[in-house]
Amino acid sequence: MSFAANYSPSGALGRLSAQNLQFAERSPLATKFGYDALSLRVQWGTPLPGILIVERSATLGHLLRRTLAAAQIEAGTETSGYLEAVDLLKAEQARGQSFTLILLGAPARVNREFAALLEVLRHGEGVNTPLIVMAHEKTVELEDFTQKRPQTQFVPWANFSRIPVSVRTLLPNANLVSPARPAHPRSADTISILLVDDSQSIREAYRRLFERAGYDVATADTLRHAAAAIEARHHDIVIVDYFLPDGNGEELCRKLSGKPDAPALAIITGTYREEIIKRCIDAGASECLFKNEANELTLARVRTLAKQVQSQKSVEAERQRLDGILGSVGDGVFGVDNDGVITFMNPTGLRLLDWPDEAELLGQSAHAKIHPLLEDGRPAAEALESALGRAYAEGQSLNAYETLFRMRGGASIPIECSVLPLAIQQRREGSVVVFRDISGRKSAERLRWEATHDPLTGVLNLREFQSVVTEEIQRRREGGGHAAALHIDIDRYSYILDTIGVAQAEQLLVEVAGAIQKLMRTGDVVARIDGDEFGLLLGNVQLESLYTLADGFREVLGQCHYAANGSRRNMTVSIGVAVIGKGAPPIEQVLDHARHACQIAKQRGRDQIEIYVGDSDTRVAHAIAAGWTDRLRAALDEGRFVLLVEPIVTLVALPTIEADIVQRNGWRINGAHPPQHAEYLFEVLIRMVATDGRWISPRVFIPLAEQAGMMPKIDLWILQRLLRQLESLKGITHNLAFNFNLSNATLGDAHALAQIEASLRESNGLAQRLVFEITETSQLASVPRARAFISAMKKLGSRFALDDFGTGFSSFTHLRHLPVDLVKIEGSFVEGMVGSDMDRKMVASIAQLAHSFGLKVVGEHVNSFETLAALRACGADFAQGHYLGEPRQLVDIDFSELFVRQETALPKTAA
């Protein structure tokens, strides 16, 4: 019932000193139940108040309880705090009741708290309650108090055996043997609770709360007393305060959690301190209660623990009814042979894992079908990596091992299992696995985590990511600024999955999630939204740096690798970006825009970034390009571009035996005796140098330069540098040519094409040392203009190559309409030839088709000798890739020494 006793300055509390009032205000009982010295508001039940014992000394309190028990007098309510006693007296009066008797142990010297209690007993709520005061000696203050207050006796501790006589003298007609609180009959189904707290008022309040809910409750005030209570009888639930006089709750949790019949453990605390809660959870606690939360919530938490206890009791009872092997276990049971192959599973196990029929599992690997994950949720690369797999193979036992089992639909459930080696006629015949679902033991926090996260990678799932992005959209609509949603898709994941299998592919997904998280800024959020697709929310972005941010993730993810057919291969990703601003559309459209942009990035050749700009987003597009226009102009004016070259090696110059290939300064471009007339091509690559010296990837600045209309100027800058380089090598460059890419923007710019043609006409024959590359995925603005330009340049001796052949839908259109000289096969086909018959056939078919048109064939991404050999077998003419040579700065290479005497060793050059 609820009541209020309002403070009046003329009342008993009004006569307390300011210091005593402060003590009263800090009462823990007041804090828990919401009242203070000025406004007493308590929610309480209606148990009989009985005798109130107030004694600060645990030893004297124990002596007093034993003395009363020997006289068959019920002890009733106990407290060790004088201000808590004040609270209890006020609470009983508010309920219209009062204690039958008060036994008060006096301190050696009167302090403020004791004086406050005496004031209440003399003039306040306890004025009419019989009182026995106990002390080692009778002081003047106590003499005056006991003489002036009616129904009051003094008993020195030296005569403690006379206390029952004094009780009966003050209460001649009371039934002192009656219990002070309603008794609750204990049955086999009643849940028993041990509450450990050093505050008597807190213990009493919670005892009443739990008993009204039907629980059997025992209390203890120290770890020592709690240990004695646990030793005396089993308790289903133990609720322990963290701070105790002789230790802390973590110690008790750790001690109990290791026992086979450990109770359900919970911590109760007055304040939220994350580090304390985490330590207790780690020590074995599965729930946390707060002293200042509503009683209904406290009971709800206890009911959750009670359900767990009842569930465990039910499982144990079921285990006792089983016979033979199944008689000693709980729920699911399955058997495996020595290789970990499933031999049987009982109906309960099938139900828990959602398998309709045992036949679907027989003969299958338990590692693949049931437990492919480690206990922390990471996929196990192989069966022996998990404790279960090792137990099967070594014939070892496991007891109470917790891990994750996978259900038929792919979801995972937490289980506790035991592995028992199975021996028949002294021969090991596999193992029996007994498991049970322990989902009920998981805390609410863990359950929330599982509901919002991807179980494989540990990042958010799609549902939670949508919620986060929705909040970000609303934030931008109200406050302005920009954020960005990224859709990250692993390129050729189906091929990777077929090549390395499910387990390694899932490990790659985990590696990708980890790499993204390492690069994220504070406030960024990543999620796995589907299979091999990830969503990334970047908050508080500047539009001019958006490409750089996105490209950072592309580059980092490009370093993730997998092993296939004995070689290490790096993966690539395509990234689509949707900008979130003040006028952002709904969540569905934002994510769809990012997904659409990612598809465009894949169509452009994969390993690309595309920012979605809708018809209504021209302002965003201008903002993105505006900052880069100035940066690109400054870089051109200041010469802050760097040219690198990577060798494109003719296969006739390379021996068919790897040991015969000469490697000097990191380049493999010929053997010990290269052919005299072999042609050597070098692809020219460009990097932009930021003002702080960082190199900026072309995948970042080229799309922006195309949007800003700066790409033709950059292409002309490259051409002029190459012509000067070729001029300096004139006379010794008869077998050397440079390849460089002409952007789609340049091919569509008539003025830029005219400037290129004019420069080559004035180059005195250097045009024949240039090979212009056109990307196969380019969407040419004018095919006739490009064809006319190519024809004019070919008359001057230049050649043209169709780059990334096979990635898009315009391959054969370009091959049909553009008079190119070389075809460069897209690197992913070449890279996959070693382990994929389909890729070998694809490369061989493209080479055969190109040769039928009289074209030379270049294979990219040659990263091993095996790939080189496969490319040679497919009929290619040239090879390019890191196995043959890493890109190096053009200014560092001494071509004069390299080509004057090919038969001599290659000179050392700067890397």
Side-chain angles (χ1 to χ4, degrees), residues 887-904:
R888 291 157 56 185
Q889 288 196 51
L890 177 61
V891 297
D892 292 336
I893 301 172
D894 191 344
F895 288 103
S896 60
E897 291 189 19
L898 184 62
F899 291 102
V900 168
R901 296 184 62 191
Q902 289 183 331
E903 69 278 4
T904 62

Side-chain angles (χ1 to χ4, degrees), residues 710-757:
M710 294 291 294
M711 204 58 223
K713 294 181 179 180
I714 295 175
D715 283 344
L716 287 169
W717 185 91
I718 297 173
L719 177 63
Q720 296 302 325
R721 296 303 183 278
L722 292 180
L723 290 177
R724 285 204 295 269
Q725 181 74 35
L726 289 170
E727 181 66 29
S728 68
L729 299 174
K730 201 166 185 180
I732 61 171
T733 57
H734 57 281
N735 57 350
L736 167 72
F738 288 127
N739 290 35
F740 87 96
N741 282 273
L742 277 181
S743 73
N744 183 35
T746 302
L747 289 170
D749 189 320
H751 179 67
L753 296 182
Q755 286 183 284
I756 293 174
E757 182 175 352

Side-chain angles (χ1 to χ4, degrees), residues 490-786:
I490 299 176
D491 294 330
R492 302 193 74 199
Y493 182 73
S494 297
Y495 165 78
I496 295 174
L497 183 63
D498 294 340
T499 303
I500 65 177
V502 174
Q504 291 190 52
E506 289 185 341
Q507 182 59 40
L508 182 63
L509 292 175
V510 174
E511 183 181 353
V512 168
I516 294 174
Q517 288 175 300
K518 287 181 181 178
L519 196 60
M520 291 193 315
R521 309 161 305 159
T522 302
D524 294 344
V525 178
V526 63
R528 184 183 176 204
I529 56 179
D530 191 16
D532 62 321
E533 300 172 7
F534 292 83
L536 177 62
L537 177 64
L538 302 179
N540 296 318
V541 298
Q542 302 297 321
L543 294 180
E544 60 270 18
S545 63
L546 185 52
Y547 261 104
T548 306
L549 275 175
D551 191 66
F553 288 97
R554 184 197 62 78
E555 286 192 349
V556 165
L557 295 178
Q559 298 171 12
C560 296
H561 61 274
Y562 58 94
N565 303 305
S567 63
R568 168 174 162 165
R569 300 182 184 177
N570 284 55
M571 51 158 271
T572 62
V573 296
S574 298
I575 300 178
V577 184
V579 178
I580 302 173
K582 197 171 184 66
I587 172 67
E588 295 81 9
Q589 293 184 34
V590 169
L591 297 184
D592 188 61
H593 292 166
R595 186 182 300 107
H596 178 68
C598 184
Q599 292 172 352
I600 294 175
K602 283 186 174 292
Q603 293 170 8
R604 287 173 44 207
R606 296 189 284 266
D607 195 20
Q608 303 281 337
I609 297 168
E610 180 71 20
I611 296 182
Y612 179 88
V613 178
D615 296 336
S616 60
D617 294 333
T618 54
R619 185 177 59 84
V620 172
H622 290 157
I624 293 174
W628 276 92
T629 302
D630 295 336
R631 294 169 69 179
L632 291 166
R633 284 201 183 101
L636 280 174
D637 294 340
E638 299 167 11
R640 284 191 285 103
F641 285 98
V642 174
L643 296 182
L644 300 90
V645 291
E646 182 179 32
I648 302 173
V649 183
T650 177
L651 291 178
V652 299
L654 293 173
T656 57
I657 300 175
E658 185 174 18
D660 294 340
I661 298 177
V662 176
Q663 180 179 4
R664 295 183 179 90
N665 301 315
W667 277 1
R668 296 181 175 95
I669 61 174
N670 51 36
H673 303 286
Q676 292 296 319
H677 302 292
E679 182 180 29
Y680 292 87
L681 305 178
F682 291 87
E683 180 170 0
V684 177
L685 310 173
I686 186 170
R687 301 291 186 268
M688 178 178 169
V689 182
T691 53
D692 59 2
R694 290 181 302 106
W695 284 13
I696 300 176
S697 166
R699 297 186 186 275
V700 174
F701 70 81
I702 286 181
L704 294 166
E706 289 179 340
Q707 292 182 22
M710 294 291 294
M711 204 58 223
K713 294 181 179 180
I714 295 175
D715 283 344
L716 287 169
W717 185 91
I718 297 173
L719 177 63
Q720 296 302 325
R721 296 303 183 278
L722 292 180
L723 290 177
R724 285 204 295 269
Q725 181 74 35
L726 289 170
E727 181 66 29
S728 68
L729 299 174
K730 201 166 185 180
I732 61 171
T733 57
H734 57 281
N735 57 350
L736 167 72
F738 288 127
N739 290 35
F740 87 96
N741 282 273
L742 277 181
S743 73
N744 183 35
T746 302
L747 289 170
D749 189 320
H751 179 67
L753 296 182
Q755 286 183 284
I756 293 174
E757 182 175 352
S759 296
L760 293 185
R761 288 188 184 278
E762 299 171 358
S763 66
N764 298 321
L766 295 179
Q768 60 184 326
R769 301 303 170 201
L770 292 175
V771 180
F772 295 96
E773 294 189 6
I774 300 174
T775 303
E776 181 270 332
T777 53
S778 296
Q779 300 298 320
L780 298 180
S782 173
V783 173
R785 178 185 297 162

Side-chain angles (χ1 to χ4, degrees), residues 315-338:
V315 170
E316 186 60 29
E318 181 65 19
R319 290 179 60 180
Q320 294 174 359
R321 286 194 294 268
L322 295 176
D323 190 20
I325 296 176
L326 298 181
S328 62
V329 296
D331 291 327
V333 182
F334 67 88
V336 296
D337 62 18
N338 294 335

Side-chain angles (χ1 to χ4, degrees), residues 139-157:
T139 64
V140 175
E141 293 89 345
L142 292 180
E143 176 71 27
D144 179 68
F145 177 79
T146 55
Q147 287 182 357
K148 293 181 178 179
R149 187 185 185 279
Q151 298 190 77
T152 302
Q153 290 191 10
F154 176 82
V155 177
W157 280 112

Side-chain angles (χ1 to χ4, degrees), residues 223 238-240 242 248-259 262-263 265-267 279-287:
L223 289 181
V238 174
I239 303 173
V240 56
Y242 186 82
N248 58 57
E250 179 186 351
E251 298 175 26
L252 184 61
C253 290
R254 199 172 301 280
K255 179 179 179 181
L256 295 179
S257 62
K259 293 188 175 183
L265 301 172
I267 287 294
R279 287 203 301 269
C280 294
I281 297 280
D282 293 340
S286 57
E287 188 56 89

Side-chain angles (χ1 to χ4, degrees), residues 8 18 50 170 202 223 228 257 365 434 603 652 681 787 860 886:
S8 171
L170 290 172
I202 294 295
L223 289 181
S257 62
S365 166
V434 181
Q603 293 170 8
V652 299
L681 305 178
R787 180 181 178 86
E860 300 180 292
E886 298 278 352

